[in-house]
Amino acid sequence: MAIPVIDFSKTEGEERAKTLAEIAHCCQEWGFFQLVNHGISEELLERVKKVASECYKVEREAGFEESEVVKKLKEKQSDERIEDFDWEDVFLLTDHNAQEWPSKTAGFKETMEEYRSELKKLAMRVMEAMDENLGLPKGYMKRAFNGGEEEEEAFFGTKVSHYPPCPEPERVAGLRAHTDAGGVILLFQDDEVESLQILKDGEWVDVQPLRNAIVINTGDQVEVLSNGRYKSVWHRILATPHGNRGSIASFYNPSTTATIQPAPQLLVEEVHPEYPSFVFGDYMSVYADQKFLPKEPRFRAVKAL
């Protein structure tokens, strides 16, 4: 079983209707799909891989080797699994923390600024495809995530991760199973080391590496906005004994002050809201403590606030 692959360039041609239908099927049945011919240049993507890899070696590797998860793995008995840590080195890039971005890796900031700009454009196009498939006005999802405002209030963050070789991968997760809290996630994953899996029909399925593809998945807020038509999906990353897996996940999330609720257009008399209305910042407060737990109690908890 393989994750669906969509040629995104076909949304602009004679096969637009067919391609949009394929995207709708992916959102409804998978929650994950891969985009090729997405408009981001191969040259830029190769530079992104290069600076991310160099950044880990120059600025992150030594710190990871002294991290708590490495110490825990050495301390615990050989048959004891570590449940509360992930075998992951990670840092976040946003427009607001640019002064904290890695500074010792040549070309890192310039390359990642260019990449984030191009990826944000792609996020808009993906959300517009979702709008159309759901029968919503163009730009509905973007406006909802911006709190109903035309100005850009939504959060766009990029998580740069590495999953180094693990000496005992059976004892620790690369990243524990979870659904994503936010809106639309765009992942540029390693095209050689395979370890990302999604839960599909009760089975864990590999997200096959595909050179310079962008993996799309829907977060909890898209599930709410679509009134459950598009589900956020459990996924995880396995620790592996070989290879240093790179992963760059970008999140187009609602503003913390945005009110998220099912789109009124998706509610008819016989279809009642399946989800509460809530402020996204409140949801994130709940998610911070329950990320690796089932999502349904999160919706109930935020409803009670």
Side-chain angles (χ1 to χ4, degrees), residues 199-211:
L199 191 63
K200 168 69 172 167
D201 298 330
E203 296 184 8
W204 288 104
V205 178
D206 292 326
V207 179
Q208 69 274 17
L210 186 60
R211 185 174 177 271

Side-chain angles (χ1 to χ4, degrees), residues 81-265:
R81 185 170 174 82
I82 299 172
E83 300 289 354
D84 51 352
F85 287 88
D86 300 302
W87 192 262
E88 175 190 44
D89 176 77
V90 59
F91 60 92
L92 181 68
L93 307 177
T94 75
D95 292 338
H96 302 296
N97 74 348
Q99 292 183 337
E100 301 169 17
W101 288 23
S103 58
K104 298 177 182 177
T105 304
F108 180 89
K109 184 174 183 180
E110 297 80 3
T111 299
M112 294 308 296
E113 284 178 341
E114 182 181 354
Y115 173 70
R116 278 172 43 80
S117 175
E118 291 300 308
L119 204 67
K120 194 171 185 179
K121 296 174 189 175
L122 179 59
M124 302 302 171
R125 294 172 61 204
V126 170
M127 288 191 294
E128 287 177 359
M130 292 181 182
D131 287 338
E132 187 169 343
N133 281 332
L134 289 167
L136 299 173
K138 183 177 180 179
Y140 183 94
M141 196 173 293
K142 177 184 175 182
R143 285 191 295 275
F145 289 173
N146 280 289
E149 303 295 331
E150 292 298 330
E151 294 184 11
E152 190 66 34
E153 299 290 339
F155 175 81
F156 187 66
T158 299
K159 190 180 81 165
V160 181
S161 303
H162 279 87
Y163 302 89
C166 181
E168 299 180 75
E170 70 284 352
R171 293 183 54 214
V172 65
L175 181 59
R176 288 162 284 171
H178 63 286
T179 65
D180 288 324
V184 175
I185 298 86
L186 304 95
L187 170 67
F188 184 31
Q189 72 160 344
D190 199 294
D191 54 20
E192 295 181 3
V193 182
E194 186 175 276
S195 64
L196 174 61
Q197 296 182 324
I198 71 168
L199 191 63
K200 168 69 172 167
D201 298 330
E203 296 184 8
W204 288 104
V205 178
D206 292 326
V207 179
Q208 69 274 17
L210 186 60
R211 185 174 177 271
N212 290 343
I214 300 294
V215 180
I216 305 295
N217 72 282
T218 49
D220 295 347
Q221 307 315 304
V222 171
E223 178 169 334
V224 173
L225 187 146
S226 69
N227 202 33
R229 291 193 191 183
Y230 296 170
K231 294 286 197 297
S232 59
V233 173
W234 284 85
H235 52 286
R236 68 184 184 185
I237 295 173
L238 302 177
T240 60
H242 306 293
N244 185 10
R245 179 181 182 272
S247 170
I248 303 173
S250 297
F251 306 80
Y252 193 92
N253 287 356
S255 159
T256 56
T257 59
T259 297
I260 303 299
Q261 59 192 352
Q265 295 91 330

Side-chain angles (χ1 to χ4, degrees), residues 16-35:
R16 176 178 174 78
K18 177 185 175 183
T19 305
L20 286 173
E22 291 173 350
I23 292 172
H25 173 78
C26 291
C27 292
Q28 291 169 342
E29 301 297 329
W30 286 85
F32 268 76
F33 55 97
Q34 303 208 53
L35 292 184

